[in-house]
Amino acid sequence: MTRPAPGTLAPAHLAVSGLSLSFGGLKALTDVSFEVRPGTITALIGPNGAGKTSLFNCISGFYRPREGHIRLDGQDITHTHPPARARAGLARTFQNIALFKGMTVLDNIKLGRHAHMRTNLLQALAYWSAARREEMELRAEVERQIIDFLEIDHIRNKPVASLSYGLQKRVELARALAMRPRLLMLDEPVAGMNREETEDMARFILDVKEEWGISILMVEHDMGMVMDISDHVVVLNFGKVIAQGPPAQVQGDPQVAAAYLGSGNPAELMRRLSAIGEAA
Amino acid sequence: MRIATAKETYVADEGLLTTNTQRAWMIILALVLVLAPFVLNAYWLYLACLVAINVASATGLNILTGYTGLVSLGQAAFMAVGAYAVAFLDGHLGTPFLLNIFAAGLVAAAVGVLVGVPSLRVKGLYLAIATIAASFILHFVFTHWVSVTGGMSGVNVAPARLFGIELASPFALYFVIVPITAVMVLGAANLFRTRIGRAFIAIRDRDISAEVLGIPLLQYKLMSFALSSFYAGVAGGMWAYFFRVVTPESFPFATSIFFLAAVIVGGLGTILGPILGAAFMTLVPELLKYVVEWLGPVFPNAGAALSPVRTIVFGALIVFFLVFEPQGLAEIVRRIRRFFHLWPFKT
Ligand SMILES: Nc1ncnc2c1ncn2[C@@H]1O[C@H](COP(=O)(O)OP(=O)(O)OP(=O)(O)O)[C@@H](O)[C@H]1O
Ligand SMILES: [Mg+2]
């Protein structure tokens, strides 16, 4: 199995500072600041409705924050459009899977590479040498780097709609990887998966970090997985960052426990959170 | 039964025709198209040319509506733009036939881009209404810009000339119209093997995630409009050389509905769909005419009564297909192909 040589993609540094967002009167995010350091996994956790997905939508450009800045490698991207952010190296998956259901797995993954391809309209209509060459290279690369890596050879020609939920999540990761991201954002990558699928996904995410050298920002309710694989944890509650730090430190933080339970018992917190992860 | 094909390389897998059976069918089709003019009488040749022109336009509309998901009822108006462009270039500048046809496509594409601008904000029925509005504005221009369009009485077009040969009969025109249409269909088929075609489909299926993948929506929607109206413009240009007169009534609004129906009956978002749909919509009324003639002796004096029946039967056939084969004629063909692939093991 060949993968891109480590270091070919320089992992990105994401810095979010003083971000605020409101929907009418509802303050979805208030003064949110944190960083994703290059080549690390940062987990974003918090109870339902804490604003995690809203924060993702700000970073990928769907929501306009009222205040604050988003910087990718020092460059301010707060006011750029989603396609520009994709070209800058941002890729994401969605909490409720946003694949193209009628297309095959292969076409979905190929779409990920769109922004990196050159073929123009005339070349496309003629399918001349340049267009053909680019399509063939894409196909070979997708097969070698992504389909093999994520172990989805057997489904490459299946329409996405016919796949199980767990496999669809994996295809969505495949499509995001095809974007050659430098920062990968995953919104609940293992929600609704069984134990085995969860372990597979955790392994893929770790491999992406270690072998592809990509920075990862991940929203996840499965605390076992968060504690296992992340380097840094950011806790959001009612749109505010209430704690951040290494997993072990956040795990023992009484404020975090209080946010989830209204009590200060970290052990109880762990139990509740795993239950949420299982049920979701 | 089709013998299983081992896909050795991606090159074979990514090809347009992936099996020998498909290649054989394509050769047979090409032979039929080449030999047809020597077999068909003038009337059927006339119909064959008309089908080819309609296939070109329907293929364009399918790129926009079937693949990009933008419903347009402006295809007839874009064809008219192409037809007038040919009439003007031919009459005033005397530029050569093929150049005029191509220019007709470009002019229509430019108009298409303008009409497509609202597509960033409005979708579905609202966009359809916007294209209807544009059609009426264009119709107004056709009737009032007399110096170019000849107003209500229209403009005449001289017979096309290619390499010094006058193309006045359907027989002669067949040999340019059918190849041009074939090239356009091939172009559409190629398009959907590349990033641009995939981007169109992505916009149709889920435009939010298309943006996250780095597809700029406005640019691609306008590109789809441009391409679709380019096809309409070329079709309209061929139409102008075929009928040799263009008036504001050459492309009534009902023609736009005709094309939308052709694409839906044939199968949205398939290459085969608009070909089958345009052929169906063009030929079935003619076939029904034959049936009526044939029934004439059986029911004497019924001719007057049978002719409206023809229209009703045609309408009923369209409804029948929409109800029983919403995926279109292309889906029926696909099912037949599947049957033969598996035959005789499974049905
Ligand atoms: N488009 C919107 N319009 C109005 N309110 C919104 C919108 N999106 C989110 N919200 C509100 O903002 C708050 C944060 O929602 P968000 O989806 O970001 O939470 P979350 O942390 O992702 O929750 P979950 O764990 O359930 O996915 C919620 O109160 C939600 O109702
Ligand atoms: Mg969420």
Side-chain angles (χ1 to χ4, degrees):
Chain A
M1 206 187 305
T2 41
R3 307 209 187 121
T8 46
L9 304 159
H13 177 257
L14 175 80
V16 172
S17 54
L19 213 64
S20 297
L21 172 78
S22 29
F23 298 110
L26 177 82
K27 285 188 175 171
L29 297 171
T30 314
D31 196 22
V32 171
S33 302
F34 69 95
E35 278 179 68
V36 178
R37 298 196 164 280
T40 64
I41 298 179
T42 298
L44 186 62
I45 65 169
N48 291 109
K52 304 179 296 295
T53 299
S54 303
L55 181 53
F56 260 41
N57 284 338
C58 287
I59 299 173
S60 56
F62 288 132
Y63 292 167
R64 282 278 119 99
R66 191 163 41 78
E67 275 173 67
H69 295 277
I70 301 159
R71 292 191 182 82
L72 200 66
D73 291 330
Q75 200 161 22
D76 195 330
I77 57 165
T78 321
H79 300 290
T80 58
H81 289 291
R85 298 185 199 208
R87 285 191 295 273
L90 216 66
R92 73 172 282 190
T93 65
F94 290 81
Q95 186 168 350
N96 42 5
I97 304 180
L99 289 167
F100 305 105
K101 292 270 159 66
M103 286 189 212
T104 64
V105 168
L106 201 52
D107 277 342
N108 266 281
I109 300 174
K110 283 177 175 176
L111 262 162
R113 190 56 60 81
H114 180 89
H116 292 283
M117 296 174 75
R118 295 274 87 81
T119 301
N120 64 31
L121 183 58
L122 285 183
Q123 293 168 327
L125 290 167
Y127 204 69
W128 265 325
S129 61
R132 169 189 298 268
R133 194 171 345 106
E134 193 173 53
E135 287 298 325
M136 291 307 151
E137 278 168 15
L138 169 63
R139 175 71 192 269
E141 246 179 77
V142 163
E143 290 283 347
R144 196 160 25 100
Q145 300 178 343
I146 296 170
I147 293 196
D148 276 0
F149 169 55
L150 293 178
E151 298 157 20
I152 46 179
D153 327 40
H154 56 298
I155 52 164
R156 62 159 81 73
N157 287 318
K158 290 227 170 94
V160 163
S162 70
L163 303 177
S164 72
Y165 186 79
L167 276 178
Q168 291 194 20
K169 284 249 165 198
R170 207 185 284 187
V171 173
E172 215 189 5
L173 172 63
R175 188 179 68 185
L177 284 177
M179 294 175 73
R180 289 191 181 137
R182 298 184 310 116
L183 173 71
L184 180 62
M185 297 166 52
L186 306 169
D187 199 345
E188 307 203 9
V190 302
M193 287 190 178
N194 63 33
R195 185 86 346 242
E196 197 191 330
E197 287 172 325
T198 303
E199 279 166 12
D200 283 343
M201 185 57 90
R203 179 165 53 84
F204 292 136
I205 295 173
L206 267 181
D207 283 351
V208 165
K209 173 185 109 165
E210 279 161 16
E211 296 179 31
W212 294 53
I214 295 175
S215 316
I216 295 168
L217 175 63
M218 164 180 90
V219 169
E220 191 42 68
H221 284 294
D222 184 322
M223 280 308 134
M225 171 161 153
V226 167
M227 296 306 157
D228 273 354
I229 70 171
S230 43
D231 304 297
H232 187 80
V233 180
V234 178
V235 189
L236 214 56
N237 192 27
F238 292 114
K240 292 190 185 120
V241 176
I242 56 166
Q244 55 178 317
Q249 180 195 322
V250 166
Q251 203 171 0
D253 190 321
Q255 246 203 304
V256 175
Y260 278 95
L261 294 176
S263 86
N265 182 347
E268 174 67 4
L269 163 70
M270 284 300 294
R271 200 191 55 72
R272 266 287 289 277
L273 290 179
S274 332
I276 293 171
E278 229 108 272
Chain B
M1 194 193 99
R2 186 185 59 160
I3 304 304
T5 43
K7 280 161 189 163
E8 297 291 342
T9 61
Y10 307 135
V11 181
D13 200 20
E14 298 276 326
L16 214 44
L17 305 170
T18 46
T19 66
N20 284 329
T21 326
Q22 279 174 314
R23 273 177 217 116
W25 275 112
M26 210 38 84
I27 292 169
I28 292 171
L29 176 67
L31 280 176
V32 167
L33 286 178
V34 169
L35 294 178
F38 302 100
V39 180
L40 298 178
N41 65 26
Y43 176 68
W44 283 97
L45 261 179
Y46 156 86
L47 282 178
C49 291
L50 201 56
V51 168
I53 291 171
N54 288 342
V55 165
S57 188
T59 297
L61 182 62
N62 187 42
I63 292 174
L64 182 66
T65 301
Y67 282 106
T68 321
L70 302 173
V71 181
S72 163
L73 279 167
Q75 199 70 352
F78 297 137
M79 276 181 86
V81 170
Y84 277 116
V86 155
F88 182 84
L89 291 171
D90 197 83
H92 288 74
L93 306 178
T95 38
F97 167 71
L98 286 179
L99 181 76
N100 293 349
I101 295 266
F102 189 70
L106 292 184
V107 173
V111 175
V113 167
L114 279 183
V115 173
V117 168
S119 68
L120 187 67
R121 296 251 166 250
V122 296
K123 280 184 215 173
L125 279 178
Y126 296 90
L127 180 61
I129 301 289
T131 60
I132 293 175
S135 302
F136 288 132
I137 293 171
L138 285 169
H139 189 269
F140 180 86
V141 172
F142 300 148
T143 46
H144 288 79
W145 195 11
V146 181
S147 60
V148 169
T149 65
M152 286 309 290
S153 51
V155 266
N156 290 313
V157 181
R161 300 189 71 85
L162 190 63
F163 307 126
I165 304 166
E166 189 175 88
L167 310 172
S169 66
F171 180 83
L173 280 164
Y174 180 95
F175 288 100
V176 289
I177 291 176
V178 169
I180 290 176
T181 296
V183 167
M184 289 165 78
V185 170
L186 181 66
N190 279 337
L191 184 70
F192 293 99
R193 300 200 276 162
T194 68
R195 71 192 276 260
I196 295 180
R198 283 194 296 270
F200 286 164
I201 302 175
I203 290 171
R204 176 193 71 192
D205 287 357
R206 236 175 220 279
D207 53 7
I208 299 253
S209 34
E211 265 198 304
V212 175
L213 297 176
I215 299 168
L217 295 186
L218 181 62
Q219 186 190 330
Y220 274 81
K221 285 179 175 179
L222 293 184
M223 202 194 289
S224 186
F225 258 101
L227 199 56
S228 168
S229 20
F230 177 86
Y231 274 59
V234 170
M238 296 195 290
W239 192 98
Y241 278 118
F242 191 64
F243 288 99
R244 307 255 306 278
V245 57
V246 187
T247 74
E249 300 320 313
S250 298
F251 300 95
F253 178 64
T255 308
S256 284
I257 298 174
F258 170 95
F259 282 113
L260 195 59
V263 173
I264 294 172
V265 167
L268 285 164
T270 61
I271 292 300
L272 196 55
I275 301 176
L276 297 176
F280 178 92
M281 295 288 292
T282 316
L283 294 180
V284 167
E286 300 299 325
L287 293 175
L288 289 175
K289 218 185 276 175
Y290 268 83
V291 172
V292 168
E293 262 170 41
W294 180 69
L295 288 177
V298 187
F299 305 101
N301 312 324
L306 281 174
S307 127
V309 169
R310 224 180 64 200
T311 315
I312 294 170
V313 169
F314 181 46
L317 270 177
I318 295 177
V319 173
F320 176 86
F321 274 113
L322 292 185
V323 172
F324 291 99
E325 196 46 81
Q327 311 264 55
L329 299 170
E331 177 62 21
I332 298 178
V333 171
R334 212 182 60 84
R335 226 179 286 130
I336 294 171
R337 269 180 49 192
R338 251 181 73 78
F339 174 82
F340 282 106
H341 287 177
L342 301 174
W343 188 84
F345 296 118
K346 224 180 4 181
T347 49

